Amino acid sequence: MIKIRFSFFLLLLAVLPSCEKETALSAGAGEQIPLYFSVETKSLSGERTFRAAAFGFQSQAFACSGTYCSETVDHRATVPGGLWLAPCRVNDGGDPLRSDGTLAENLSQADKDSRYALIPNYGCTEGIYLVVSSPARKIFSGNGQWYYPWTSDAEFYVSDAVSATVSGCFLDGEYVYTSSAKEALRLRDRRARIYVHIECGGLSEAWLQSVSLLNCVNSARWSLLSGFSASDYTVETAGLYDCNDSPQHLVKARGDGWDSDREVFLPSIDYSDPGYVSLRPQIRILMGDDTDHPSQALVDITVPVEPMKDYTYNLYISKSNVTVTLAASAWDDGGTHGTVDDEAPAYIGTFDIAGWDDGGINDAADWNGSF
């Protein structure tokens, strides 16, 4: 894990000198006061832009935001630890801009000025929530929510909302704001990846026709204060395998298995929460050597899905059901398929296979006529 620690500039307004100071440092009108934040992320390499947003603690109303870039302003010669991210001009997509408003080719060309920093406009007494995101995209509002549009194909990092207080014009009464490890502003890509592995369980052989992920959310809204919304989303079906009329033959004695290789990203949601039931994906498997009369198994995804993790659903096929276990691994480099599981695969459940008729007894016609 890469830990990035940086500061934001808080530009004090002219009205603020009337606020009581809680440190020996003076803060005159228009003076730049650096506030130090701890931000953790798995991988934020290269040139980056950031947006810091503040919301009222009680009202949860948007207060202000500021934008920054990963170039630093170095004042360590005069201020201990004074190495801060530079306030930076950006467009709505979070791309850095030159002073004339045109797109900068790199951060060295970007317009870096304190006027782009986080500027309080809510007074000095109300507690606030802080949220940091990268890149520094525009924040949207609607239905009483402040949110970012989320899509499954876009890398976007955003922190949870962290509470702080404004006292004497300083966050938490400190000239330099620090947070505990528990409250650290940790930037995370709010996506997870789903993979599927299939092999014979109680069967010596099986035929695989197709594998799909149904009801995959591909666009949604991330509320800066409450996370994913259970409304205003779209879904799609993600095809993982199609036999093209030639079912794949899996033989248990040979150790045959099938593994998906398509990257399917899902929002990191607790799918066990009844409030998200309409967003739950399903794994659909069609089996049998007769493509005109396939057998079907549907596996519901009803577990908490954490950000920046790979989830592999292991499906073991028997005559009338599919036994499912789940393995999870963290994105050790922020992107590639993890190779080391966090824990042993956990038993999820056993799901019925539809499409076969046993006539009311267990030893009648098999769902797969090849057995």
Side-chain angles (χ1 to χ4, degrees):
M1 178 185 297
I2 299 173
K3 179 180 285 188
I4 299 178
R5 302 180 68 88
F6 60 85
S7 301
F8 300 118
F9 284 110
L10 181 59
L11 184 61
L12 297 182
L13 301 179
V15 298
L16 295 189
S18 62
C19 300
E20 179 184 356
K21 302 298 183 292
E22 294 190 358
T23 74
L25 297 169
S26 63
E31 183 177 349
Q32 293 176 353
I33 301 299
L35 297 177
Y36 190 71
F37 290 79
S38 174
V39 173
E40 297 181 8
T41 182
K42 291 287 187 179
S43 177
L44 279 182
S45 58
E47 294 189 338
R48 287 276 179 176
T49 62
F50 302 85
R51 181 178 295 275
F55 298 84
F57 189 79
Q58 296 296 331
S59 65
Q60 298 193 356
F62 175 78
C64 55
S65 72
T67 55
Y68 305 81
C69 67
S70 52
E71 281 204 353
T72 55
V73 177
D74 192 343
H75 284 288
R76 289 175 295 184
T78 56
V79 179
L83 185 64
W84 308 310
L85 290 187
C88 178
R89 184 179 183 181
V90 302
N91 61 14
D92 288 349
D95 303 307
L97 299 177
R98 298 185 179 94
S99 57
D100 62 1
T102 60
L103 196 64
E105 295 180 6
N106 50 59
L107 292 182
S108 64
Q109 298 178 353
D111 182 13
K112 293 178 281 291
D113 190 279
S114 61
R115 68 176 182 266
Y116 305 119
L118 188 68
I119 302 174
N121 55 10
Y122 46 82
C124 296
T125 58
E126 183 182 7
I128 62 172
Y129 285 112
L130 290 168
V131 181
V132 181
S133 58
S134 180
R137 287 163 41 186
K138 173 185 175 181
I139 300 173
F140 290 80
S141 62
N143 298 325
Q145 296 284 324
W146 293 88
Y147 68 92
Y148 282 114
W150 176 95
T151 58
S152 60
D153 60 353
E155 179 184 276
F156 182 66
Y157 294 82
V158 61
S159 73
D160 290 330
V162 172
S163 60
T165 56
V166 180
S167 177
C169 304
F170 298 96
L171 289 179
D172 285 348
E174 297 180 41
Y175 172 66
V176 176
Y177 172 76
T178 58
S179 63
S180 67
K182 182 178 180 180
E183 297 174 337
L185 286 164
R186 182 182 179 189
L187 293 178
R188 293 184 289 184
D189 187 333
R190 301 294 171 163
R191 301 180 298 169
R193 268 185 306 236
I194 301 295
Y195 294 92
V196 178
H197 169 80
I198 297 175
E199 63 181 84
C200 295
L203 295 177
S204 60
E205 55 185 356
W207 277 259
L208 184 62
Q209 295 186 19
S210 71
V211 184
S212 304
L213 277 172
L214 310 181
N215 203 50
C216 293
V217 176
N218 58 4
S219 71
R221 289 183 175 184
W222 172 269
S223 168
L224 276 73
L225 295 178
S226 58
F228 280 108
S229 170
S231 60
D232 299 302
Y233 63 91
T234 62
V235 299
E236 65 178 353
T237 295
L240 303 181
Y241 172 72
D242 191 314
C243 72
N244 295 317
D245 296 324
S246 297
Q248 183 172 344
H249 189 198
L250 303 178
V251 178
K252 185 173 184 178
R254 298 195 304 232
D256 291 347
W258 174 88
D259 292 279
S260 62
D261 55 12
R262 176 179 174 181
E263 288 190 331
V264 178
F265 291 92
L266 296 178
S268 54
I269 289 173
D270 182 357
Y271 293 105
S272 67
D273 186 335
Y276 291 116
V277 64
S278 63
L279 282 71
R280 289 175 181 168
Q282 285 183 314
I283 304 170
R284 181 181 65 190
I285 313 100
L286 298 184
M287 296 168 288
D289 59 350
D290 183 355
T291 56
D292 291 330
H293 302 90
S295 302
Q296 174 180 272
L298 289 174
V299 176
D300 296 319
I301 294 179
T302 58
V303 298
V305 171
E306 298 181 13
M308 302 181 70
K309 279 197 172 184
D310 291 320
Y311 291 87
T312 300
Y313 279 79
N314 302 292
L315 279 56
Y316 303 93
I317 302 171
S318 297
K319 274 190 176 183
S320 61
N321 56 54
V322 173
T323 300
V324 182
T325 67
L326 176 63
S329 59
W331 295 2
D332 52 8
D333 63 357
T336 62
H337 189 181
T339 57
V340 179
D341 290 342
D342 291 348
E343 55 191 20
Y347 171 75
I348 295 298
T350 300
F351 297 80
D352 292 337
I353 295 173
W356 66 292
D357 181 10
D358 65 2
I361 58 175
N362 294 324
D363 58 356
D366 293 335
W367 60 267
N368 190 324
S370 299
F371 300 126

